[in-house]
């Protein structure tokens, strides 16, 4: 019998009779892969639990849930347990406008970016904001260190915006930097790999597993990018006893309710905002502006300030959107309750 504690499970509430705790290891539209004390299985959401007037939070990879076994068929997923941490982004679907769940109950977020043509400090900043918002610990992994001659300079650029976050340059092919990564991969810990397609997530996973379990695309000659290989999010157990949530490449990383993550990532800027002479300072031409002074002294770059403003606007928009959707859902529930009461009254007349 499998001990779910090896998958990071800790009992947060009493286990109901007839139900088992399990962890979601992959999500495929309406069907989920999961692991419980019985081993691996598939499950589907119990309709009455997830589409009721008081619905459950839909599970994502890494979530712990309560399941009911069904003889000869898929398990019923009846409840999503409280999350310790949760990484989400703005749904990249043009018609979405809501949050997209990526992974839950993670200890570390490995923000992966390659040091060749896809290198972007601005993209790393975006990942850092959402990683800090998730409650997990961000770690920046700079891949393909063997493909560039000025790796040290690029690492310094990332360290300048990462502040207290560990920045690790690696080469999965020859093992450079893997010893530092292993420091985070202790038993029962969960890490999620995030980054664009072709940054080397599958190569790193294969190196950590000690064998090839993920197909690795060839490097395209025209732009030095690896071909996309991972097609869905999946939680995998490493030989070390740690778990990895491997994810498909992310083309965009939009903000979703990231005010806390912004405050942590741009703590230096928010500290400056409180030091201006005037409380309503717009940081443009006002005298005694601490922000303008920091720019003139070289303590703050204009690009970093612009990034802060851009993500602040995106985060504020998403929070307004979330509030609108929440009120819309509450309105729908009240209408549904009214209709049920009205129907019952008609039945008794």
């Amino acid at each position: 019998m499998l001990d779910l504690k090896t998958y990071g499970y800790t009992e947060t509430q009493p286990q109901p009779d007839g139900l088992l705790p399990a962890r979601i290891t992959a999500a495929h539209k309406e069907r989920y892969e999961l692991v419980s004390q019985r081993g691996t299985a598939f499950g589907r959401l119990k309709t009455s639990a997830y589409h009721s007037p008081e619905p459950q939070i839909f599970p994502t990879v890494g979530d712990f849930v309560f399941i009911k076994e069904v003889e000869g068929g898929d398990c019923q997923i009846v409840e999503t347990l409280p999350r310790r941490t949760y990484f989400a982004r703005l749904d990249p679907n043009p018609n979405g406008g809501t949050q997209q769940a990526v992974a839950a109950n993670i200890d570390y977020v490995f923000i992966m970016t390659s040091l060749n043509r896809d290198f972007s400090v601005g993209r790393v900043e975006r990942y850092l904001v959402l990683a800090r918002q998730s409650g997990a610990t961000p770690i920046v992994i700079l891949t393909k260190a063997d493909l560039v001659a000025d790796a040290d300079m690029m690492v310094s650029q990332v360290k300048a915006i990462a502040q207290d976050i560990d920045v690790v340059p690696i080469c999965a092919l020859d093992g450079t930097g893997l010893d530092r990564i292993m420091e985070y991969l202790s038993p029962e810990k969960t890490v999620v790999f995030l980054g664009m397609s072709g940054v080397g997530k599958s190569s790193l996973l294969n190196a950590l597993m000690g064998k090839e379990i993920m197909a690795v695309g060839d490097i395209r000659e025209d732009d030095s990018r690896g071909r996309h290989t991972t097609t869905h999010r999946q939680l995998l157990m490493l030989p070390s006893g740690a778990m990895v949530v491997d994810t498909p490449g992310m083309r965009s990383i939009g903000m979703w309710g990231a005010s806390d993550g912004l405050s942590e990532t741009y703590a230096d800027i928010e500290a400056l905002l409180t030091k201006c002479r005037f409380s309503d300072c717009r940081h443009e031409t006002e005298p005694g502006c601490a922000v303008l002074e920091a720019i003139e002294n070289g303590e703050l770059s204009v690009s970093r300030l612009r990034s802060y403003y851009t993500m602040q606007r995106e985060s504020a928009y998403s929070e307004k959107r979330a509030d609108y959707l929440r009120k819309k859902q509450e309105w729908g529930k009240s209408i549904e309750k009214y209709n049920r009461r009205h129907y019952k009254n008609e039945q008794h007349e």
Side-chain angles (χ1 to χ4, degrees):
M1 185 174 291
L2 187 149
D3 185 355
L4 198 60
K5 291 181 180 179
T6 61
Y7 276 81
Y9 177 69
T10 55
E11 187 173 322
T12 57
Q13 59 191 68
Q15 180 178 325
D17 292 339
L19 301 181
L20 294 175
R23 191 171 198 188
I24 303 295
T25 57
H28 308 278
K29 293 184 178 179
E30 297 180 356
R31 202 175 189 218
Y32 297 83
E33 292 181 47
L34 49 86
V35 60
S36 72
Q37 65 185 44
R38 309 286 193 193
T40 59
F42 286 92
R44 295 178 184 271
L45 303 181
K46 185 178 180 181
T47 303
S48 60
Y50 285 89
H51 296 278
S52 64
E54 299 296 333
Q56 295 285 328
I57 296 174
F58 278 47
T60 190
V61 176
D63 265 319
F64 291 101
V65 296
F66 281 140
I67 63 171
K68 181 179 181 180
E69 293 183 300
V70 177
E71 186 175 353
D74 289 347
C75 301
Q76 278 191 332
I77 303 172
V78 302
E79 183 178 352
T80 304
L81 301 183
R83 293 163 168 163
R84 292 187 296 105
T85 59
Y86 173 58
F87 188 98
R89 65 168 175 169
L90 180 68
D91 191 339
N93 188 324
N95 299 320
T98 59
Q99 67 172 325
Q100 181 189 64
V102 176
N105 299 307
I106 48 179
D107 297 284
Y108 301 104
V109 177
F110 277 15
I111 300 168
M112 301 181 62
T113 188
S114 60
L115 287 174
N116 58 353
R117 296 190 186 183
D118 278 331
F119 179 71
S120 169
V121 174
R123 190 185 308 117
V124 172
E125 280 186 302
R126 283 185 163 268
Y127 277 110
L128 280 172
V129 170
L130 291 180
R132 289 180 185 274
Q133 185 71 27
S134 74
T137 301
I139 308 295
V140 181
I141 309 296
L142 302 177
T143 65
K144 305 181 183 180
D146 58 317
L147 297 182
V148 293
D150 52 353
D152 290 343
M153 181 190 70
M154 300 165 85
V155 171
S156 296
Q157 291 177 353
V158 175
K159 285 184 176 180
I161 58 99
Q163 300 176 54
D164 59 330
I165 300 302
D166 197 7
V167 179
V168 185
I170 70 165
C171 174
L173 296 180
D174 64 15
T176 300
L178 298 192
D179 55 336
R180 289 180 59 188
I181 289 179
M182 291 303 299
E183 296 175 11
Y184 301 102
L185 301 178
S186 56
E188 302 177 18
K189 297 295 184 181
T190 304
V191 57
V192 61
F193 285 3
L194 299 176
M196 292 183 65
S197 296
V199 298
K201 297 188 297 294
S202 294
S203 295
L204 176 57
L205 183 57
N206 289 340
L208 295 175
M209 290 291 291
K211 59 182 178 180
E212 185 168 335
I213 63 167
M214 290 289 181
V216 178
D218 296 331
I219 299 295
R220 297 196 297 254
E221 293 183 1
D222 58 342
D223 60 5
S224 298
R225 293 182 182 179
R227 299 182 189 277
H228 176 70
T229 52
T230 304
T231 58
H232 63 278
R233 294 187 296 276
Q234 185 172 5
L235 185 147
L236 300 162
M237 179 69 76
L238 297 178
S240 68
M243 290 148 283
V244 165
V245 178
D246 190 27
T247 66
M250 293 183 176
R251 294 184 179 88
S252 63
I253 186 74
M255 296 294 104
W256 181 265
S259 57
D260 291 342
L262 275 166
S263 294
E264 290 187 46
T265 304
Y266 295 97
D268 55 334
I269 293 179
E270 297 203 345
L272 288 172
L273 298 179
T274 65
K275 297 178 180 179
C276 293
R277 180 184 302 176
F278 303 108
S279 59
D280 60 347
C281 183
R282 293 177 298 176
H283 321 297
E284 295 176 353
T285 59
E286 295 84 351
C289 175
V291 174
L292 294 178
E293 184 178 345
I295 292 175
E296 291 176 3
N297 295 338
E299 298 173 8
L300 175 65
S301 67
V302 174
S303 61
R304 180 167 170 78
L305 182 62
R306 286 174 179 169
S307 295
Y308 170 72
Y309 283 147
T310 298
M311 284 186 267
Q312 187 182 53
R313 287 194 297 269
E314 290 181 25
S315 180
Y317 168 79
S318 70
E319 289 177 358
K320 289 180 181 178
R321 175 69 176 171
D323 184 58
Y324 163 76
L325 293 174
R326 184 166 51 251
K327 290 179 179 178
K328 182 179 179 182
Q329 186 180 47
E330 290 173 355
W331 180 80
K333 289 179 182 178
S334 65
I335 293 297
E336 187 174 348
K337 288 179 181 178
Y338 169 80
N339 289 337
R340 284 203 307 270
R341 286 196 302 268
H342 185 67
Y343 175 78
K344 288 181 180 179
N345 292 336
E346 286 185 337
Q347 294 296 100
H348 288 115
E349 290 179 355

